[in-house]
Structures are given as structure tokens and as C-alpha cells.
Amino acid sequence: MLIGSHVSFGKKQLLGSVQEAISYGANTFMFYTGAPQNTMRQKIDEELLKEAQDLMIKEGIDIKKVICHAPYIINLANNKDLEKWQFSQNFLKQELSRCDELNVSFLVLHPGSAVGLEKTEALNNISLALNNILSNNYKCQILLETMAGKGTECGSSLEEIKYIIDHVNYNIGVCIDTCHLNDAGYKMQNFKEFLAIVEKIIGIDKIKCVHLNDSKNVLASHKDRHANIGYGTIGFDNLLNICYEEKLKDVPKILETPYVGQTWEDKTKIYPPYKFEIEMLKNKKFNQNLLEDINNYYNK
Ligand code: FE
Ligand code: FE
Ligand code: ZN
């Protein structure tokens, strides 16, 4: 099973990401090349990269399964402000080049938000932008993430994802996010049935990454608030099922669950839950004392 979480990419760049992933007992990971909410990026350091690569080889982490996530302020769907639309495209080109430099094969992208445009127009903008960007022939492949349908988000149905795939002349893949799918109205409690729908519409082989998250909200709520594994409306057994699904066995599962504080209500979310969530999934056993275990571990 390929399992990891979202990790940071700071001063030590990819080396820091790899070290963080190892500290969680992960064998893969996902990172942003800088803060997810802005587009300030540092130049890639060759020496740190070499060290990161050596460490990955030593630890048996396959760089081909490592995922990068584009910042979520990028919006390819709306072209009302042409300058902003161009900026998003140029930034994505740089991001894909960075991934090529790092030897990372997949870049997860939120399709974008229509904000005031018709849905079809927005989907056409996304396709147009992707055709422009991908004409530069990158090794790294873009994965469209399935969205919760919050606000005017595009890509909250498999049909919308399929529409973009069909209108882009290059090979793009898909990242399914279990929290987003639940919030968009797809029952994760019957994953076999969901995969049958995927097969009919876009093909299971298009799925190159799974974001494994529980959800704080009910089916079709269109909210997008992630919950810790087994502490949301999808539930531990259903997430475990998805994790061990034979048809997705070579697809990395990435946790993007929230950090925790001293209590569940505590707003100062300082501790990463990933080491203990990964442990639960590996042991196939729900941990009722997740919060206490995390606090004990990081408090010492
Ligand atoms: Fe995402
Ligand atoms: Fe996600
Ligand atoms: Zn989300």
C-alpha cells in the first residue's frame, strides 16, 4: 500500500519533505513547492535535491509516486481579468518545469471556479488554458482534482472532469478526494459502485492519486471541510476499504486531514495527525485515542 500525507516544502526543500514523510512512517508524500496560498517560490537547490534523492532511494520511496499540488489561488476557469488568467497559466508552466526539475511525475490541480461565468464557459476556459500550457511538453502530468462543489467550483462531478479531459489534447489524469466526493454527493460508503461509475465515465486508469480524507459534513453538503480518519461522516471502515481497493493498489493515498490541538475543540491546531492515522490504516484498526496519542507523542 502506498500511503503518505501532505508535507511541507520549506528551507530544506524536497529533503525536508522526505524527512517529514519518513517521520510519519509514510512511503510516499505530497508537497506544495511553496505556501499553497501564494505563488512565491524559491529556486531549486541542486545539492539539497541530490540529498533528497539519495534519502528516497535508501528509504524505498519511489519518486514516480510522489505528488506535487499546485497552489489553490490558481484559477484557469475565469478569464474576465485576462491578466490574472494569464498569470495563472504562466505560474502553472513554471510549476510544471519545477516538477520536471525535481523529477516529480504528477501535479494536482483544482480545476478552478467559474465566478460569474456560465459553467460551460468556465470549463472551456480551463480546457483552453490547459491546451496552451501543455503545448510546452512537460514530463510531469496534470491531475484534475474532484471538488466538493463549494461556491462556483468546477469539477464537482465526474461529467465535468470528463468534459475537460475530452477537450484537452494532452494526456491528463485525475486525483479523487474522498472528502470532496462525499460533499459533492458521491457515496464513499459504496466504493465499488463509485468505481463502476468512474469506469463508465472516465476510466479507473485515469486515477493517479487518492486524497484520503474523512469529511466533517454530510453527503452532498458542498462544504469541503476535512475530518481526521474515522472521525467524520465517511467513517473508518469505508476509508480503509478505499485504501486497500485492489484496483487502486498502485495509486498513492495521501492524507490531508487537519492538524489537532489539545482537545478536538482547541483552535490552535499544532500537531500533525499523520503518523497515527497511517498507523491505523496499516494496522487496519481504528484508534479511539487518536487525539491523546498524538498529544503524548509530540508533547514529550
Ligand atoms: Fe486539493
Ligand atoms: Fe484534496
Ligand atoms: Zn479539500
Side-chain angles (χ1 to χ4, degrees), residues 267-278:
K267 293 273 188 297
T268 55
K269 307 219 173 274
I270 38 177
Y271 302 129
Y274 308 122
K275 176 182 162 59
F276 292 90
E277 290 181 330
I278 289 172

Side-chain angles (χ1 to χ4, degrees), residues 74 84 101 106 108 119 161 166 170 180 187 213 218 223 227 278:
I74 295 291
K84 258 197 200 160
E101 249 184 279
F106 302 113
V108 170
K119 192 46 96 40
I161 298 281
D166 282 350
Y170 303 87
H180 298 175
K187 269 202 190 111
N213 303 306
V218 294
K223 283 281 193 349
I278 289 172

Side-chain angles (χ1 to χ4, degrees), residues 145 177 180 224 226:
E145 180 166 357
D177 184 310
H180 298 175
D224 189 6
H226 303 188

Side-chain angles (χ1 to χ4, degrees), residues 83-241:
E83 223 167 281
K84 258 197 200 160
W85 195 50
Q86 272 309 331
F87 176 83
S88 284
Q89 293 181 49
N90 288 334
F91 185 80
L92 262 184
K93 287 181 197 168
Q94 287 173 42
E95 198 79 334
L96 285 161
S97 301
R98 257 191 297 272
C99 285
D100 280 357
E101 249 184 279
L102 294 166
N103 252 310
V104 167
S105 308
F106 302 113
L107 177 67
V108 170
L109 174 71
H110 294 181
S113 291
V115 271
L117 296 184
E118 292 284 331
K119 192 46 96 40
T120 312
E121 206 179 338
L123 293 172
N124 285 337
N125 282 337
I126 297 166
S127 310
L128 201 67
L130 285 175
N131 275 324
N132 168 34
I133 293 160
L134 296 174
S135 66
N136 293 289
N137 288 313
Y138 301 98
K139 281 183 285 171
C140 180
Q141 189 183 23
I142 282 193
L143 307 182
L144 296 172
E145 180 166 357
T146 60
M147 304 309 289
K150 193 177 57 181
T152 60
E153 260 172 9
C154 300
S156 62
S157 73
L158 294 173
E159 286 79 6
E160 285 180 20
I161 298 281
K162 164 77 171 161
Y163 184 95
I164 302 168
I165 291 174
D166 282 350
H167 287 80
V168 171
N169 309 322
Y170 303 87
N171 191 15
I172 53 177
V174 174
C175 166
I176 59 168
D177 184 310
T178 55
C179 167
H180 298 175
L181 286 167
N182 171 81
D183 292 13
Y186 293 100
K187 269 202 190 111
M188 292 296 97
Q189 286 77 1
N190 196 340
F191 196 63
K192 292 264 182 239
E193 204 172 274
F194 171 73
L195 280 185
I197 302 171
V198 172
E199 186 57 30
K200 224 190 275 161
I201 300 177
I202 46 182
I204 293 173
D205 59 328
K206 282 277 180 199
I207 302 175
K208 305 293 184 195
C209 178
V210 174
H211 285 170
L212 197 76
N213 303 306
D214 216 324
S215 174
K216 289 204 166 129
N217 292 286
V218 294
L219 188 75
S221 59
H222 305 294
K223 283 281 193 349
D224 189 6
R225 290 190 64 214
H226 303 188
N228 291 102
I229 300 296
Y231 288 83
T233 58
I234 300 176
F236 184 73
D237 291 343
N238 296 311
L239 289 166
L240 194 65
N241 244 335

